[in-house]
Amino acid sequence: MYINFKRLIDIILSLLGLIVLSPVYLLLIIAIKLDSKGPVLFKQKRVGLKKSHFNILKFRTMRIDTPKDTPTHLLENPEQYITKMGKFLRKTSLDELPQILNIFLGQMSIIGPRPALWNQYDLIAERDKYRANDVPPGLTGWAQINGRDELPIEIKAQLDGEYVQNISLWMDTKCFFGTIISVVKSDGVVEGGTGKTQKDEGTMS
């Protein structure tokens, strides 16, 4: 029952967001174009509901010569690819704003597991254990307010599973306001330090 209500909330809030934030979109578009060459929007194939694929939208934060389909944490010295404007967008999470359109189109939800890259097979497999691939991915979620980029893949998938087991209006409300607090504090943002398995971390340490 709540799932249908959740979709209605997504439609209403995403439509309002697109309208109210239009001046912010315009300012960011101008700033991105002035800062570096390339398109304003960045599209990337991600894993959606039931492991279907869709193109996630973000404001571009990296140079156009950045290797494609490679998570930031797997790039050697990722800082060299991030633009000046991109650093600001990532720190404030404003690069995620175009995903409001993904939400309006039904490809994402406001709250849910963050969509994995199509080739992040380890994360996708871990989420299968907790049925976390069986719900729409979100702009933010339970894992994002409990560690964000700092979390090993196993822990991130486990938290995504906790969200699926406890999905409700109260859970979504906690994630929503928890995200606002995390963004303001810039908690858990680690360039080049996310998405490793605990086994990988043990090998690298």
Side-chain angles (χ1 to χ4, degrees), residues 2-178:
Y2 173 67
I3 298 299
N4 294 329
F5 180 60
K6 178 180 171 72
R7 177 59 190 147
L8 180 60
I9 293 174
D10 285 339
I11 293 172
I12 294 172
L13 292 184
S14 60
L15 180 58
L16 286 174
L18 289 170
I19 296 170
V20 173
L21 295 174
S22 56
V24 178
Y25 279 105
L26 181 59
L27 288 174
L28 293 179
I29 288 169
I30 294 172
I32 292 169
K33 292 300 290 184
L34 291 175
D35 181 54
S36 62
K37 295 180 180 179
V40 171
L41 290 179
F42 170 71
K43 297 180 181 180
Q44 192 175 58
K45 187 163 71 171
R46 295 287 183 115
V47 178
L49 178 64
K50 302 291 185 181
K51 292 189 283 191
S52 59
H53 291 159
F54 72 100
N55 286 321
I56 198 172
L57 300 175
K58 290 189 176 188
F59 281 126
R60 182 177 57 82
T61 61
M62 308 186 87
R63 301 194 328 239
I64 56 176
D65 60 340
T66 305
K68 295 182 178 180
D69 288 330
T70 303
T72 305
H73 68 276
L74 293 181
L75 292 172
E76 185 175 349
N77 186 18
E79 290 283 350
Q80 66 178 312
Y81 296 107
I82 301 173
T83 64
K84 292 179 180 178
M85 185 64 189
K87 291 180 180 179
F88 168 75
L89 291 172
R90 283 169 171 251
K91 185 175 182 179
T92 58
S93 295
L94 288 173
D95 60 318
E96 311 285 356
L97 282 183
Q99 287 161 50
I100 293 176
L101 181 58
N102 289 121
I103 295 169
F104 182 72
L105 295 174
Q107 299 166 328
M108 292 176 61
S109 179
I110 295 174
I111 309 296
R114 282 295 295 163
L117 271 167
W118 66 273
N119 57 358
Q120 284 184 292
Y121 304 116
D122 47 0
L123 177 56
I124 297 168
E126 282 294 318
R127 282 178 169 171
D128 269 338
K129 298 177 182 178
Y130 305 100
R131 300 185 64 184
N133 292 312
D134 295 340
V135 298
L139 180 64
T140 186
W142 187 238
Q144 280 58 55
I145 65 171
N146 285 284
R148 207 170 174 179
D149 293 345
E150 296 176 340
L151 296 173
I153 281 173
E154 295 92 342
I155 303 301
K156 186 179 294 185
Q158 185 177 348
L159 287 168
D160 289 334
E162 286 181 16
Y163 171 76
V164 173
Q165 291 178 351
N166 298 285
I167 190 168
S168 63
L169 179 59
W170 172 237
M171 186 65 158
D172 281 1
T173 301
K174 286 197 293 185
C175 291
F176 184 83
F177 287 103

